[in-house]
Coordinates of all heavy atoms in Angstrom, one line a residue:
Y309 N 114.5 118.3 -69.5 CA 115.4 118.3 -68.4 C 115.1 117.3 -67.3 O 115.8 117.1 -66.4 CB 115.4 119.7 -67.7 CG 116.0 120.8 -68.5 CD1 115.4 121.4 -69.5 CD2 117.3 121.2 -68.3 CE1 116.0 122.4 -70.3 CE2 118.0 122.2 -69.0 CZ 117.2 122.8 -70.1 OH 117.9 123.8 -70.8
Y310 N 113.9 116.6 -67.5 CA 113.5 115.7 -66.5 C 114.5 114.5 -66.2 O 114.5 114.0 -65.2 CB 112.1 115.1 -66.9 CG 111.0 116.0 -66.5 CD1 109.8 115.9 -67.1 CD2 111.1 117.0 -65.6 CE1 108.7 116.7 -66.8 CE2 110.1 117.9 -65.3 CZ 108.9 117.7 -65.9 OH 107.8 118.5 -65.6
Y311 N 115.2 114.1 -67.3 CA 116.1 112.9 -67.1 C 117.4 113.4 -66.3 O 118.1 112.5 -65.8 CB 116.5 112.3 -68.4 CG 117.3 113.2 -69.3 CD1 118.7 113.2 -69.2 CD2 116.7 114.0 -70.2 CE1 119.5 114.0 -70.0 CE2 117.5 114.8 -71.1 CZ 118.8 114.8 -70.9 OH 119.6 115.6 -71.7
I312 N 117.6 114.6 -66.1 CA 118.7 115.1 -65.2 C 118.4 114.7 -63.8 O 119.3 114.4 -63.0 CB 119.0 116.6 -65.5 CG1 119.5 116.8 -66.9 CG2 120.0 117.1 -64.5 CD1 119.7 118.3 -67.2
V313 N 117.1 114.8 -63.4 CA 116.7 114.6 -62.0 C 117.2 113.2 -61.5 O 117.8 113.1 -60.4 CB 115.2 114.8 -61.8 CG1 114.8 114.5 -60.3 CG2 114.9 116.3 -62.1
P314 N 116.9 112.1 -62.2 CA 117.4 110.8 -61.7 C 118.9 110.7 -61.7 O 119.4 110.0 -60.8 CB 116.7 109.8 -62.7 CG 115.7 110.5 -63.4 CD 116.0 111.9 -63.3
A315 N 119.5 111.4 -62.7 CA 121.0 111.4 -62.6 C 121.5 112.0 -61.4 O 122.5 111.5 -60.8 CB 121.5 112.0 -63.9
L316 N 120.9 113.1 -61.0 CA 121.2 113.8 -59.8 C 121.0 112.9 -58.5 O 121.7 112.9 -57.6 CB 120.5 115.1 -59.6 CG 121.0 116.2 -60.6 CD1 120.0 117.3 -60.6 CD2 122.3 116.7 -60.3
W317 N 119.9 112.1 -58.5 CA 119.7 111.2 -57.5 C 120.8 110.2 -57.4 O 121.3 109.9 -56.3 CB 118.3 110.5 -57.7 CG 117.1 111.1 -57.1 CD1 116.7 112.4 -57.3 CD2 116.1 110.5 -56.3 NE1 115.6 112.6 -56.6 CE2 115.2 111.4 -56.0 CE3 116.0 109.2 -55.8 CZ2 114.1 111.1 -55.2 CZ3 114.9 108.9 -55.0 CH2 114.0 109.8 -54.7
F318 N 121.2 109.7 -58.5 CA 122.3 108.7 -58.5 C 123.6 109.3 -58.0 O 124.3 108.7 -57.2 CB 122.5 108.1 -59.9 CG 123.6 107.2 -60.1 CD1 123.5 105.9 -59.6 CD2 124.8 107.6 -60.6 CE1 124.5 105.0 -59.7 CE2 125.8 106.6 -60.7 CZ 125.7 105.4 -60.3
V319 N 123.9 110.5 -58.5 CA 125.2 111.2 -58.0 C 125.1 111.5 -56.5 O 126.1 111.3 -55.8 CB 125.4 112.5 -58.8 CG1 126.5 113.4 -58.2 CG2 125.7 112.2 -60.3
G320 N 123.9 111.9 -56.0 CA 123.8 112.2 -54.6 C 123.9 110.9 -53.8 O 124.6 110.9 -52.7
Y321 N 123.4 109.8 -54.3 CA 123.5 108.5 -53.6 C 125.0 108.1 -53.5 O 125.4 107.6 -52.5 CB 122.6 107.5 -54.3 CG 122.7 106.1 -53.6 CD1 122.0 105.8 -52.5 CD2 123.5 105.1 -54.2 CE1 122.1 104.6 -51.9 CE2 123.6 103.9 -53.6 CZ 122.9 103.6 -52.4 OH 123.0 102.4 -51.8
A322 N 125.6 108.2 -54.6 CA 127.1 107.8 -54.7 C 127.9 108.7 -53.7 O 128.8 108.2 -53.0 CB 127.6 107.9 -56.1
C323 N 127.6 110.0 -53.7 CA 128.3 110.9 -52.8 C 128.0 110.5 -51.3 O 128.9 110.6 -50.5 CB 127.9 112.3 -53.0 SG 128.6 113.0 -54.6
K324 N 126.8 110.2 -51.0 CA 126.4 109.9 -49.7 C 127.1 108.6 -49.2 O 127.5 108.4 -48.0 CB 124.9 109.7 -49.6 CG 124.3 109.4 -48.2 CD 124.4 110.6 -47.4 CE 123.7 110.4 -46.0 NZ 123.9 111.5 -45.1
R325 N 127.3 107.6 -50.1 CA 128.0 106.4 -49.7 C 129.5 106.5 -49.7 O 130.2 105.6 -49.3 CB 127.6 105.3 -50.8 CG 126.1 105.0 -50.7 CD 125.8 104.3 -49.4 NE 124.4 104.0 -49.3 CZ 123.8 103.7 -48.2 NH1 124.4 103.7 -47.0 NH2 122.5 103.5 -48.2
T326 N 130.0 107.6 -50.2 CA 131.5 107.8 -50.2 C 131.9 108.4 -48.9 O 131.5 109.5 -48.5 CB 131.9 108.8 -51.4 OG1 131.4 108.3 -52.6 CG2 133.4 109.0 -51.4
P327 N 132.7 107.7 -48.1 CA 133.0 108.1 -46.8 C 133.7 109.4 -46.5 O 133.5 110.0 -45.6 CB 133.9 106.9 -46.2 CG 134.3 106.1 -47.4 CD 133.4 106.5 -48.5
Y328 N 134.5 109.8 -47.5 CA 135.3 111.0 -47.3 C 134.6 112.3 -47.8 O 135.2 113.4 -47.8 CB 136.7 110.9 -47.9 CG 136.7 110.6 -49.4 CD1 136.7 111.6 -50.3 CD2 136.8 109.3 -49.7 CE1 136.7 111.2 -51.6 CE2 136.8 108.9 -51.1 CZ 136.8 109.9 -52.0 OH 136.8 109.6 -53.3
I329 N 133.3 112.2 -48.3 CA 132.6 113.4 -48.7 C 131.6 113.8 -47.6 O 130.7 113.0 -47.3 CB 131.8 113.1 -50.0 CG1 132.8 112.8 -51.1 CG2 130.9 114.3 -50.3 CD1 132.1 112.5 -52.5
P330 N 131.8 114.9 -46.9 CA 130.9 115.3 -45.9 C 129.5 115.6 -46.4 O 129.4 116.1 -47.6 CB 131.6 116.6 -45.3 CG 132.6 117.1 -46.3 CD 132.9 115.9 -47.2
D331 N 128.5 115.5 -45.6 CA 127.1 115.7 -46.0 C 126.9 117.1 -46.5 O 126.1 117.3 -47.5 CB 126.1 115.4 -44.9 CG 126.0 113.9 -44.6 OD1 126.5 113.1 -45.4 OD2 125.5 113.6 -43.5
W332 N 127.5 118.1 -45.9 CA 127.2 119.5 -46.4 C 127.8 119.7 -47.7 O 127.3 120.6 -48.5 CB 127.9 120.5 -45.4 CG 129.4 120.4 -45.3 CD1 130.1 119.7 -44.5 CD2 130.3 121.1 -46.2 NE1 131.5 119.9 -44.7 CE2 131.6 120.7 -45.8 CE3 130.2 122.0 -47.3 CZ2 132.7 121.2 -46.4 CZ3 131.3 122.5 -47.9 CH2 132.5 122.1 -47.5
L333 N 128.7 118.9 -48.2 CA 129.3 119.1 -49.5 C 128.4 118.5 -50.7 O 128.6 119.0 -51.8 CB 130.7 118.6 -49.6 CG 131.6 118.8 -50.8 CD1 131.8 120.3 -51.0 CD2 132.9 118.2 -50.6
I334 N 127.6 117.6 -50.3 CA 126.8 116.9 -51.4 C 125.9 117.8 -52.1 O 125.8 117.8 -53.4 CB 126.0 115.7 -50.7 CG1 126.9 114.7 -50.2 CG2 125.0 115.1 -51.7 CD1 126.3 113.6 -49.3
I335 N 125.2 118.8 -51.5 CA 124.3 119.7 -52.2 C 125.1 120.6 -53.2 O 124.6 120.8 -54.3 CB 123.5 120.5 -51.2 CG1 122.4 121.3 -51.9 CG2 124.4 121.4 -50.4 CD1 121.4 120.5 -52.6
W336 N 126.3 120.9 -52.8 CA 127.1 121.7 -53.7 C 127.6 120.9 -54.9 O 127.7 121.5 -56.0 CB 128.3 122.4 -53.0 CG 127.8 123.4 -51.9 CD1 127.8 123.2 -50.6 CD2 127.1 124.6 -52.2 NE1 127.2 124.3 -50.0 CE2 126.8 125.1 -50.9 CE3 126.8 125.3 -53.3 CZ2 126.1 126.4 -50.8 CZ3 126.1 126.5 -53.2 CH2 125.8 127.0 -52.0
I337 N 127.9 119.7 -54.6 CA 128.3 118.8 -55.8 C 127.1 118.6 -56.7 O 127.3 118.7 -58.0 CB 128.8 117.4 -55.3 CG1 130.1 117.6 -54.5 CG2 128.9 116.4 -56.4 CD1 130.6 116.4 -53.7
L338 N 125.9 118.4 -56.2 CA 124.7 118.3 -57.0 C 124.5 119.6 -57.8 O 124.1 119.6 -59.0 CB 123.5 117.9 -56.2 CG 123.5 116.5 -55.6 CD1 122.3 116.3 -54.7 CD2 123.7 115.4 -56.6
F339 N 124.6 120.7 -57.1 CA 124.4 122.0 -57.7 C 125.3 122.2 -58.9 O 124.9 122.5 -60.0 CB 124.7 123.1 -56.7 CG 124.4 124.5 -57.1 CD1 123.1 124.9 -57.1 CD2 125.4 125.4 -57.5 CE1 122.7 126.2 -57.5 CE2 125.1 126.6 -57.9 CZ 123.8 127.1 -57.9
C340 N 126.6 121.9 -58.7 CA 127.6 122.0 -59.9 C 127.3 121.0 -61.0 O 127.3 121.4 -62.1 CB 129.0 121.9 -59.4 SG 129.5 123.2 -58.3
F341 N 127.0 119.8 -60.6 CA 126.7 118.7 -61.6 C 125.5 119.1 -62.4 O 125.4 118.9 -63.6 CB 126.5 117.4 -60.9 CG 126.4 116.3 -61.8 CD1 127.4 115.6 -62.4 CD2 125.1 115.8 -62.2 CE1 127.3 114.6 -63.3 CE2 124.9 114.8 -63.0 CZ 126.0 114.2 -63.6
G342 N 124.4 119.6 -61.7 CA 123.2 119.9 -62.4 C 123.4 121.0 -63.4 O 122.9 120.9 -64.6
I343 N 124.1 122.0 -63.0 CA 124.4 123.2 -64.0 C 125.3 122.7 -65.1 O 125.0 123.0 -66.3 CB 125.0 124.4 -63.2 CG1 123.9 125.0 -62.3 CG2 125.5 125.4 -64.2 CD1 124.5 126.0 -61.4
I344 N 126.3 122.0 -64.8 CA 127.2 121.5 -65.9 C 126.5 120.6 -66.8 O 126.6 120.7 -68.1 CB 128.5 120.9 -65.3 CG1 129.3 122.0 -64.6 CG2 129.3 120.2 -66.3 CD1 130.5 121.5 -63.8
A345 N 125.7 119.6 -66.3 CA 125.0 118.7 -67.2 C 124.0 119.5 -68.1 O 123.9 119.2 -69.2 CB 124.2 117.7 -66.3
S346 N 123.2 120.4 -67.5 CA 122.3 121.1 -68.2 C 122.9 121.9 -69.3 O 122.5 122.0 -70.5 CB 121.5 122.0 -67.2 OG 120.6 122.9 -67.9
C347 N 124.0 122.7 -69.0 CA 124.6 123.5 -70.0 C 125.3 122.7 -71.0 O 125.4 123.1 -72.2 CB 125.6 124.5 -69.3 SG 124.8 125.8 -68.3
S348 N 125.9 121.6 -70.7 CA 126.6 120.7 -71.6 C 125.7 120.2 -72.7 O 126.0 120.1 -73.8 CB 127.3 119.6 -70.9 OG 128.3 120.1 -70.1
I349 N 124.4 119.9 -72.2 CA 123.5 119.3 -73.1 C 122.7 120.3 -74.0 O 122.5 120.2 -75.1 CB 122.6 118.4 -72.4 CG1 123.3 117.2 -71.7 CG2 121.4 117.8 -73.3 CD1 122.5 116.4 -70.7
F350 N 122.3 121.4 -73.3 CA 121.4 122.4 -73.9 C 122.1 123.7 -74.3 O 121.4 124.6 -74.6 CB 120.2 122.6 -73.0 CG 119.4 121.3 -72.8 CD1 119.4 120.7 -71.6 CD2 118.7 120.8 -73.8 CE1 118.8 119.5 -71.4 CE2 117.9 119.6 -73.6 CZ 118.0 118.9 -72.4
G351 N 123.3 123.8 -74.1 CA 124.0 125.0 -74.4 C 124.3 125.9 -73.2 O 123.6 125.9 -72.2
W352 N 125.4 126.6 -73.3 CA 125.8 127.5 -72.2 C 125.1 128.8 -72.3 O 125.6 129.8 -72.9 CB 127.3 127.6 -72.2 CG 128.0 126.3 -71.9 CD1 128.4 125.4 -72.8 CD2 128.3 125.8 -70.7 NE1 128.9 124.3 -72.2 CE2 128.9 124.6 -70.8 CE3 128.3 126.4 -69.4 CZ2 129.4 123.8 -69.8 CZ3 128.7 125.6 -68.3 CH2 129.3 124.3 -68.5

Side-chain angles (χ1 to χ4, degrees):
Y309 290 81
Y310 281 158
Y311 66 89
I312 294 175
V313 174
L316 289 168
W317 269 51
F318 178 76
V319 170
Y321 179 79
C323 289
K324 185 70 174 173
R325 296 292 177 197
T326 304
Y328 56 86
I329 297 178
D331 287 346
W332 65 267
L333 189 58
I334 295 173
I335 188 65
W336 295 108
I337 293 170
L338 293 177
F339 186 78
C340 292
F341 184 84
I343 291 173
I344 290 170
S346 175
C347 289
S348 295
I349 296 168
F350 299 106
W352 292 88

